[in-house]
Amino acid sequence: MSDYLGIGGKTAIITGGATKIGRGVVDSLHESGVNVVVADIDRDGGKQAVDGKDHALFSETDITDDDAINTCVAAALESFGSIDILVNLACTYIDDGAESSRAQWSTALDVNLVSAAMFAKAVRPHMAAQGGGAIVNFGSISSKVAQTGRWLYPVSKAAVVQLTRNMAMDLAGDNIRVNSVSPGWIWSKVMDELSGSDRAKTDRVAGKFHLAGRVGDPTEVGDIIAYLCSPRAAFVTGADWAIDGGYSAMEPEQSSPAIPLLAQ
Ligand SMILES: NC(=O)c1ccc[n+]([C@@H]2O[C@H](COP(=O)([O-])OP(=O)(O)OC[C@H]3O[C@@H](n4cnc5c(N)ncnc54)[C@H](O)[C@@H]3O)[C@@H](O)[C@H]2O)c1
């Protein structure tokens, strides 16, 4: 196995590692020689994510439960001796837009935002004691645009991008780099279900929103995360990385160019 990134033998905890995008991240890190710890409430999916892999552990973890986070951290340390990388990927899409209840707001922010901060808090002393580490938080294209009927998810993701800057500043003294990624449409469980497992249809529908003309693959997200967590990205912290096939480079005019309309 090549160790081009220089992260072979490191240990990563990936929250939400049980699902399609999570699996992409788990696989990219694992292919780079990283010991992977999948922290998820999905027992079956979590077990599948580590099935057949050496140096891989599933820790059934509800990230909204601080005791469960601590149990996961202890399990990672016991199995692999260090925690070098944390990927805060788990999310909820709970969202009724303007009709959302206070309880829904609390759940969305707890899972998507607060739990990422709590997990970082739990791993920080271990990373600091071993000389540093890297954390990647999950933003989204949804953090920067308005989307009809959605308030909770985009707001939670925007907050994650800001939290990343705050974390990067305050953890820099411990040599912990913190970045976020903001994916575009990625081939994921929600798209699999909505399209009836029709990837070609998903690419057709999403194509016009992405310069790449298609949705992204989970490992295309995972590969950027592996890079961000490697010494090759040692000068990168506090940044939000678009993994969006050009989605954010396109303004609304792209699908309906305004200047030619004026001339008509
Ligand atoms: N799907 C996309 O196209 C897309 C686009 C941009 C950003 N993202 C981001 O990528 C990440 C993954 O998205 P996805 O579509 O694969 O999500 P998903 O809903 O398919 O998976 C989320 C995972 O989080 C886990 N999870 C939920 N609550 C949890 C809890 N309390 N404790 C532990 N685990 C919990 C679930 O079991 C699941 O495995 C999210 O952060 C999402 O915001 C996704």
Side-chain angles (χ1 to χ4, degrees), residues 156-240:
S156 71
K157 290 292 163 180
V160 164
V161 174
Q162 177 59 30
L163 173 67
T164 300
R165 299 184 192 105
N166 299 108
M167 276 186 178
M169 178 166 281
D170 286 347
L171 275 55
D174 290 334
N175 196 30
I176 299 170
R177 294 183 300 106
V178 188
N179 292 288
S180 57
V181 292
S182 284
W185 291 34
I186 307 298
W187 180 244
S188 50
K189 183 176 151 206
V190 63
M191 288 179 196
D192 195 349
E193 287 175 356
L194 285 173
S195 71
S197 299
D198 190 338
R199 172 67 191 262
K201 178 183 175 193
T202 309
D203 283 335
R204 260 195 327 275
V205 171
K208 63 183 174 186
F209 304 129
H210 301 76
L211 295 175
R214 62 174 175 84
V215 298
D217 287 318
T219 51
E220 290 179 308
V221 177
D223 288 350
I224 299 297
I225 288 176
Y227 171 76
L228 280 175
C229 294
S230 80
R232 291 182 179 269
F235 200 51
V236 180
T237 193
D240 182 44

Side-chain angles (χ1 to χ4, degrees), residues 19 40 61-63 89 91 93 138 140 153 157 183-184 186 188:
T19 191
D40 204 300
T61 308
D62 181 345
I63 59 169
L89 177 146
C91 81
Y93 288 110
F138 262 74
S140 168
Y153 177 79
K157 290 292 163 180
I186 307 298
S188 50

Side-chain angles (χ1 to χ4, degrees), residues 26-89:
V26 169
D27 289 349
S28 291
L29 287 168
H30 192 255
E31 278 171 24
S32 303
V34 173
N35 309 314
V36 289
V37 180
V38 172
D40 204 300
I41 40 172
D42 176 357
R43 185 180 299 172
D44 292 340
K47 284 182 178 164
Q48 283 167 23
V50 299
D51 193 32
K53 289 184 176 74
D54 290 335
H55 307 291
L57 175 75
F58 169 58
S59 171
E60 189 174 344
T61 308
D62 181 345
I63 59 169
T64 64
D65 176 346
D66 292 340
D67 290 338
I69 289 176
N70 289 331
T71 301
C72 175
V73 167
L77 289 170
E78 190 185 329
S79 294
F80 302 119
S82 71
I83 298 169
D84 309 279
I85 294 165
L86 169 67
V87 182
N88 281 314
L89 177 146

